[in-house]
Amino acid sequence: MHNESRSESYAAAGVDITAGYKAVELMKKHIARTKNEGCLDDVGGFGGCFGLPLAGMEEPVLVSGTDGCGTKVKLAILMDKHDTIGIDAVAMCVNDIICCGAKPLFFLDYIACGKNVPEKIAEIVGGVAEGCVQSGAALIGGETAEHPGLMPVEDYDLAGFAVGIVDKKKIIDNTKMAAGDVVIALASSGIHSNGFSLCRKVFDIDKNPASLYEANEALGGKSIAETLLTPTRIYVKSVLALLEKVNVKGISHITGGGFYENIPRSIPDGLCAKINKSAVKILPIFKLLAETGNIPERDMFNTYNMGVGMSIVVPAAEAETALEILRANGEDAYLIGEITAGDEKIVLA
């Protein structure tokens, strides 16, 4: 297809367009895994086409979200492990849009790299495809940009965006939240994709990368590297199952800013999420991070998810049903608090 498309002059300047073609060929098998009923064409065109599934919707609303993986990418580069970072890129977007009840439809990625190594790019996209499979989204396009001189040859960055759909009457907007409702935690898989600049500083990763690979007793024998690179958990399918049976009044994706920034985003004025800190199942990596870096508890809860990747507010009368549904869908779900009257939005006690 691209036999006649090559430029020796451009290659001499650091951009090999033929490497881009090879990368696309290698990633096609990954993209094929994500196809759903809305896909209309193959990868390689100028735009990704998608047919909207509008059946049964009175007022369909498109919901979008965009994000990257932060400096977690640096860890993937140091470890030369690129097959999971794409899951993080998808997770950060689809976990956001599910907070208002939107079912993800499709995803597009953007990879900027110092040098296009087709096999590495295909690995990255393989992770993106896995994230799309986990969330039910189709990977309908993307872009790989080679930036010689702007980035070191081994470096890359990854970002993307997701688009979902929800019937307007079913948007979760917290207007029906009331005192007496309860807060459910969905356990995280680890650090997820936030606070990695602090992680790198505390564990001295940039200056002492060898320490990453040592078995750590506090982490159950796993290395710091293996633990930190664990992909962000994707909650889409379990939350969609919950929405079918339970009156969900608010959802928060716990990302950068931790509890103090994210939970209040789903709490209306005049109400407060009272969180029981002792109920939070804090993962070992957060305890190790706090101890090693001498980080105050307030800062930990204001930076990391602390073991809770998502919080969901439901009526107290439906709490047991909600927990059963979430656990049946593979989540470690448990109660961490309640909604009370108050102006603080969140209190951790």
Side-chain angles (χ1 to χ4, degrees):
M1 176 181 176
H2 300 290
N3 289 342
E4 301 305 316
S5 180
R6 58 182 178 273
S7 171
E8 299 300 329
S9 299
Y10 208 7
V15 178
D16 183 1
I17 57 178
T18 60
Y21 302 144
K22 182 179 179 182
V24 169
E25 289 303 312
L26 291 174
M27 67 178 71
K28 279 185 176 180
K29 64 180 181 181
H30 300 298
I31 296 170
R33 297 178 56 218
T34 74
K35 294 256 177 142
N36 61 27
E37 68 278 2
C39 296
L40 299 181
D41 59 9
D42 292 325
V43 68
F46 289 97
C49 298
F50 194 90
L52 290 177
L54 303 180
M57 290 198 177
E58 296 178 12
E59 245 185 305
V61 176
L62 294 179
V63 181
S64 60
T66 185
D67 210 337
C69 308
T71 58
K72 188 172 186 174
V73 172
K74 183 69 172 179
L75 185 61
I77 293 169
L78 284 171
M79 292 181 65
D80 193 25
K81 180 174 172 54
H82 314 286
D83 60 343
T84 61
I85 195 70
I87 300 175
D88 293 287
V90 176
M92 297 305 290
C93 298
V94 297
N95 282 346
D96 273 356
I97 67 175
I98 194 63
C99 287
C100 60
K103 176 183 178 181
L105 297 175
F106 58 83
F107 186 85
L108 284 87
D109 62 11
Y110 177 83
I111 304 169
C113 58
K115 180 177 177 58
N116 187 332
V117 179
E119 292 77 13
K120 181 192 291 187
I121 298 300
E123 268 192 82
I124 297 168
V125 174
V128 174
E130 175 58 29
C132 287
V133 169
Q134 290 183 23
S135 62
L139 179 55
I140 64 170
E143 173 68 10
T144 302
E146 202 168 12
H147 291 164
L150 182 62
M151 304 173 71
V153 294
E154 71 276 6
D155 279 6
Y156 64 87
D157 195 13
L158 171 64
F161 75 89
V163 173
I165 193 167
V166 61
D167 204 340
K168 186 175 182 179
K169 65 183 180 182
K170 295 183 179 180
I171 293 176
I172 300 168
D173 60 4
N174 79 23
T175 56
K176 296 180 181 178
M177 195 177 295
D181 291 337
V182 297
V183 184
I184 294 175
L186 301 188
S188 69
S189 56
I191 297 284
H192 283 185
S193 299
N194 303 104
F196 271 81
S197 294
L198 182 55
C199 287
R200 287 167 46 227
K201 178 179 183 292
V202 168
F203 295 130
D204 201 21
I205 287 173
D206 294 337
K207 295 180 181 178
N208 185 24
S211 64
L212 283 173
Y213 306 103
E214 300 167 359
N216 194 298
E217 186 177 341
L219 301 176
K222 290 184 177 181
S223 69
I224 291 174
E226 180 184 3
T227 304
L228 292 181
L229 206 57
T230 301
T232 304
R233 186 165 182 81
I234 293 176
Y235 301 100
V236 169
K237 292 182 178 178
S238 54
V239 172
L240 287 174
L242 181 69
L243 293 175
E244 290 181 4
K245 301 287 181 65
V246 171
N247 178 21
V248 175
K249 298 185 177 184
I251 305 177
S252 289
H253 181 200
I254 314 299
T255 56
F259 280 55
Y260 285 101
E261 182 176 321
N262 292 287
I263 291 180
R265 292 168 68 178
S266 66
I267 309 298
D269 291 342
L271 294 178
C272 172
K274 186 176 181 181
I275 305 298
N276 180 4
K277 279 192 296 187
S278 64
V280 176
K281 299 179 182 179
I282 299 175
L283 297 175
I285 184 61
F286 296 110
K287 296 177 181 178
L288 179 64
L289 186 60
E291 292 169 3
T292 305
N294 194 28
I295 304 171
E297 182 183 71
R298 177 63 165 73
D299 288 358
M300 289 296 296
F301 274 94
N302 206 163
T303 306
Y304 296 104
N305 68 62
M306 299 301 284
V308 179
M310 186 164 279
S311 66
I312 300 177
V313 176
V314 302
E318 298 185 60
E320 284 306 314
T321 300
L323 291 171
E324 288 174 6
I325 292 171
L326 291 166
R327 290 166 181 167
N329 282 273
E331 303 297 344
D332 178 6
Y334 58 97
L335 295 176
I336 56 167
E338 63 177 337
I339 302 300
T340 63
D343 297 321
E344 293 185 78
K345 290 291 185 87
I346 185 169
V347 171
L348 273 68

